[in-house]
C-alpha cells in the first residue's frame, strides 16, 4: 500500500531556529533585533537598518553573505535545537506517511540541514528535502514550496508551516496547518497546531 505524503517546513517547525538567527545577526551586525522583528519581516536588511540607519548592504548582497556565513555554516547552526516532541513523533509519522521537508533555506545549506537532522534523529525519515532558493551566479532563483508540492505524485495529506504567508499560499489546494507554539496568529479557516503532540493527535 502506497503511503500518502505529508509536508513540513523546517525552521521553527521542526528546528527551533529563531533564537540562533537572532543571535547571529545581532552579533555580526552589532544590533539588537528582537523576536517580533524576526517574525514579522523577512527582509533582514530593512530590520538591521531599523537599528543601524548607516547599514548600506543591499538585499541580494546581504543574502549572499548570510547564505555563506549562516545558511551554509555548520558552526553558525550548531546550537539549533529540535523543537520539543519532534524526535518522538517523527518516527511514528514515518511509518504512516512519506515525509517531505520544504524549506526557504538556500540549497547551499543542504550540508547543514543534513547535519542537524542526523544530530537529533536516529535515521533519515524524510523522503526528500526541498530548498526553495539556489544561487545562480550573482543572483538567486527559486522553486516555490507550492510548485514543489504540486510536482509530487500521490495523495497530499497536509502542509505544516510556521509562516502565515506560506500557509495562505498553500491553502487553496491542500489542507494546511499553521505551526504556532505561542498561538499568537489566527487565520480564518486555518487550524493552528501549537506543538508536536497536537501534530501527533491530528495525523496518527
Amino acid at each position: 500500500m502506497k503511503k500518502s505524503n505529508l509536508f513540513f517546513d523546517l525552521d521553527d517547525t521542526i528546528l527551533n531556529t529563531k533564537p540562533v538567527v537572532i543571535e547571529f545577526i545581532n552579533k555580526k551586525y552589532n544590533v539588537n533585533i528582537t523576536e517580533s522583528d524576526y517574525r514579522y519581516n523577512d527582509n533582514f536588511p530593512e530590520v538591521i537598518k531599523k537599528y543601524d540607519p548607516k547599514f548600506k548592504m543591499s538585499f541580494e548582497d546581504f543574502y549572499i553573505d548570510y547564505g555563506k556565513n549562516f545558511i551554509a555554516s555548520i558552526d553558525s547552526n550548531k546550537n539549533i535545537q529540535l523543537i520539543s516532541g519532534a524526535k518522538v513523533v517523527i518516527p511514528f509519522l514515518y511509518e504512516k506517511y512519506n515525509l517531505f521537508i520544504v524549506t526557504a533555506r538556500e540549497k547551499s545549506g543542504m550540508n547543514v540541514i543534513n547535519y542537524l537532522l542526523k544530530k537529533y534523529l536516529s535515521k533519515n525519515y524524510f523522503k526528500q528535502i526541498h530548498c526553495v532558493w539556489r544561487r545562480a551566479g550573482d543572483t538567486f532563483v527559486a522553486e516555490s514550496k507550492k510548485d514543489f508540492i504540486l510536482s509530487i505524485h500521490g495523495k497530499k495529506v497536509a502542509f505544516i508551516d510556521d509562516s502565515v504567508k506560506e500557509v495562505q499560499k498553500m491553502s487553496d489546494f491542500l489542507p494546511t496547518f499553521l505551526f504556532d507554539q505561542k498561538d499568537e496568529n489566527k487565520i480564518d479557516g486555518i487550524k493552528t497546531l501549537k506543538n508536536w503532540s497536537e501534530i501527533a493527535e491530528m495525523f496518527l
Side-chain angles (χ1 to χ4, degrees), residues 12 16-24 35 38:
D12 300 307
N16 190 27
T17 308
K18 188 184 297 134
V20 177
V21 171
I22 291 171
E23 181 181 15
F24 171 82
E35 185 172 322
Y38 176 97

Side-chain angles (χ1 to χ4, degrees), residues 7 15 17 32-33 43 50 55-56 100 103 109 132-134 145 161 163-164 177 184 200:
F7 301 88
L15 299 174
T17 308
N32 190 30
I33 73 168
N43 185 336
K50 172 182 169 182
F55 182 78
K56 301 295 184 183
F100 293 83
T103 173
V132 168
W133 295 99
R134 65 177 177 84
K145 295 181 181 184
D161 198 312
S163 166
V164 170
F177 297 83
E184 293 177 330

